[in-house]
Amino acid sequence: MHLNTPAGIQALLSSTPYACISLLPLTGGLLNVTLRGTLVVPLKDGASTVIVKHAENFPALVEGISWDAVRLVSCMQHY
């Protein structure tokens, strides 16, 4: 399963409350896969879409610097 593709992420989510009918790529990011998903079943709060973000550890474009996926943890704590 390739989590850097919409099909791979859709397969991963298929058995969760976040199973999606479709996943559309969002623009603007350089380091992550960011998608808007349309849910098969709306969430309890009525939401019918979700934002899905996938990050992996990889070297940055500048030698000697790498990006760790843990950088997203502090961002997600605000939501």
Side-chain angles (χ1 to χ4, degrees):
M1 179 180 326
H2 296 283
L3 296 180
N4 58 353
T5 67
I9 293 173
Q10 193 167 11
L12 177 70
L13 297 175
S14 66
S15 62
T16 75
Y18 302 101
C20 293
I21 296 167
S22 65
L23 288 167
L24 300 174
L26 297 176
T27 60
L30 296 174
L31 301 175
N32 307 300
V33 175
T34 308
L35 309 154
R36 177 177 297 278
T38 301
L39 297 169
V40 172
V41 177
L43 299 176
K44 290 180 183 179
D45 67 1
S48 60
T49 65
V50 292
I51 300 298
V52 179
K53 188 171 217 173
H54 173 69
E56 294 186 13
N57 298 329
F58 61 90
L61 299 175
V62 179
E63 187 175 330
I65 297 175
S66 64
W67 295 98
D68 191 326
V70 75
R71 71 190 182 278
L72 297 176
V73 174
S74 63
C75 295
M76 295 309 295
Q77 292 173 352
H78 298 314
Y79 297 100

